[in-house]
Amino acid sequence: GSSGINAEYGLVCSTQFTAKKKKSFGDVQDKAVLDLGAGCGILSIGSVLLGAGSVTSVELDSDAIQDLQNNIKEFEIDNIDIIEGDVNSAVLRPNFKFDTVLMNPPFGTKKNEGIDMKFLEAALSAITSSGAVYSFHKTSTRDFILNKFQSRGLSVEVIAEMKFKIPNMYKHHKKKEVLVNVDFIRISGKSAAKGS
Amino acid sequence: MKLLTHNMMRSHCKGVVNGFPLKLSSTQVDVKEIEFNPDFINRMLSRLEWPAFVQIANELGVGEGLPEMLPVEQKFEDEDVLKKIHHVLLEVEVVEGELECPETGRKFPISGGIPDMRLNEDE
């Protein structure tokens, strides 16, 4: 994801969840859900509204946490617990498993290459063998992701293709924002996978 | 911080072998009503470190009525027991306090219900 995410993608997410009722709805309702890099909490709040049994939000940025808490108040949400911490630093004990991870990880920059993959690895290690990871990734990384995880025996589905507005980081570019093609993917099948 | 969250976290300080459970001291504890979902509670039982859960509940003075051990099947039929577990697991919230790494003594503050688990680069 990016810091420029607005509520529109949240609406799209919930549309995807309801459209895929049999699979996706079943991944959230009454389930233990983990939101890695929760940001302002769209996915966490959406999970509560879809009837999650519990929602745990991990976020590192204190401004984002402030937004998350404000949104929790504004939506009058219960049952979200927030952990201020780094997704990649093993705060969760290895034997505690969630049913579902939802996340909108950073896409990765030259300085922070591979952070999107680190989030996926962290997410996959946090779920039960029958659990699922839902995540957003640049469409340009689709083949890499499909290869990487399918070769381990995992199931990877592209559920939706979207466009995200990303604020432009580089001063020399003329446009203030760029549109990035993004895949919303679901990874599951840990029980069939090698070395899980 | 709910006690469910306490049960899922461990210290990740350098060199720590286990880091669980984190020690807890609290100055403000609240109770917030959460919708009771017996199936969810039953499903979570096998994922919890049960003795640590009971211990922290007792330390907070809310452990009365919690079973000392889980049955073999790791499920309860009795709804009163499930309601009690639900209350302690999800409705008790530590708002202000401190977690402590059981091996290094490193403190992690809890403020506004949020534990700050960030470590410095050298830790």
Side-chain angles (χ1 to χ4, degrees):
Chain A
S2 86
S3 52
I5 291 302
N6 55 32
E8 285 164 11
Y9 96 74
L11 290 176
V12 181
C13 289
S14 22
T15 307
Q16 293 308 316
F17 280 130
T18 53
K20 286 255 173 182
K21 261 194 180 116
K22 276 180 193 155
K23 243 185 227 171
S24 311
F25 208 69
D27 285 329
V28 175
Q29 192 173 31
D30 301 331
K31 295 288 161 58
V33 175
L34 176 65
D35 184 352
L36 291 178
C40 57
I42 292 174
L43 295 176
S44 293
I45 291 170
S47 297
V48 173
L49 296 174
L50 287 171
S54 69
V55 178
T56 306
S57 313
V58 179
E59 177 53 57
L60 190 58
D61 180 82
S62 38
D63 288 336
I65 288 180
Q66 191 65 59
D67 287 342
L68 173 50
Q69 288 183 296
N70 290 340
N71 284 332
I72 286 173
K73 261 194 207 143
E74 195 174 311
F75 283 84
E76 295 177 342
I77 294 294
D78 287 326
N79 225 3
I80 291 179
D81 230 14
I82 303 169
I83 299 173
E84 183 167 11
D86 187 339
V87 163
N88 295 304
S89 72
V91 166
L92 301 171
R93 66 174 167 84
N95 287 343
F96 187 92
K97 302 299 186 193
F98 294 84
D99 296 302
T100 303
V101 170
L102 300 183
M103 60 184 188
N104 182 18
F107 284 153
T109 58
K110 296 231 156 85
K111 274 189 190 163
N112 209 353
E113 230 174 73
I115 184 129
D116 50 349
M117 293 304 131
K118 284 191 189 158
F119 268 68
L120 275 176
E121 299 289 5
L124 285 166
S125 66
I127 56 171
T128 66
S129 55
S130 55
V133 174
Y134 289 85
S135 187
F136 294 89
H137 294 273
K138 289 195 282 192
T139 303
S140 59
T141 63
R142 181 188 298 180
D143 287 343
F144 180 77
I145 288 173
L146 286 173
N147 281 330
K148 186 179 172 77
F149 297 103
Q150 282 174 347
S151 65
R152 285 193 221 167
L154 292 164
S155 155
V156 185
E157 295 170 77
V158 179
I159 296 181
E161 294 177 36
M162 305 169 185
K163 292 190 194 295
F164 280 10
K165 269 186 213 173
I166 312 287
N168 212 330
M169 305 299 206
Y170 302 106
K171 285 179 193 166
H172 63 275
H173 284 191
K174 286 178 187 170
K175 295 182 193 171
K176 284 193 183 151
E177 289 173 329
V178 286
L179 283 181
V180 176
N181 291 328
V182 174
D183 289 345
F184 184 46
I185 67 172
R186 180 181 189 270
I187 306 182
S188 61
K190 243 177 108 163
S191 48
K194 310 165 205 169
S196 57
Chain B
M1 184 195 73
K2 297 173 196 282
L3 296 192
L4 170 64
T5 305
H6 172 265
N7 200 269
M8 68 174 68
M9 292 198 298
R10 53 121 145 156
S11 165
H12 53 301
C13 297
K14 228 186 253 180
V16 161
V17 174
N18 185 9
F20 179 88
L22 292 155
K23 295 184 190 171
L24 172 68
S25 60
S26 57
T27 51
Q28 185 187 342
V29 178
D30 280 355
V31 171
K32 185 192 274 186
E33 195 177 319
I34 300 289
E35 193 177 319
F36 174 52
N37 185 336
D39 292 333
F40 173 76
I41 299 298
N42 261 329
R43 281 184 46 250
M44 295 309 289
L45 294 179
S46 60
R47 306 185 201 187
L48 298 174
E49 281 285 331
W50 188 257
F53 173 61
V54 173
Q55 182 187 337
I56 203 93
N58 287 332
E59 284 173 17
L60 286 175
V62 297
E64 195 184 312
L66 281 182
E68 283 298 312
M69 280 187 345
L70 291 181
V72 169
E73 63 271 18
Q74 293 179 312
K75 263 199 213 184
F76 291 103
E77 299 289 333
D78 184 343
E79 256 206 13
D80 288 338
V81 172
L82 288 172
K83 276 191 184 149
K84 175 67 193 175
I85 296 170
H86 159 82
H87 173 71
V88 178
L89 195 62
L90 296 179
E91 294 187 327
V92 174
E93 295 193 354
V94 179
V95 180
E96 302 291 325
E98 205 171 61
L99 293 165
E100 184 184 317
C101 173
E103 290 171 43
T104 67
R106 209 276 195 191
K107 307 271 209 290
F108 300 95
I110 303 170
S111 179
I114 301 177
D116 184 349
M117 306 305 293
R118 293 174 297 170
L119 286 175
N120 301 323
E121 268 183 41
D122 53 321
E123 291 179 289

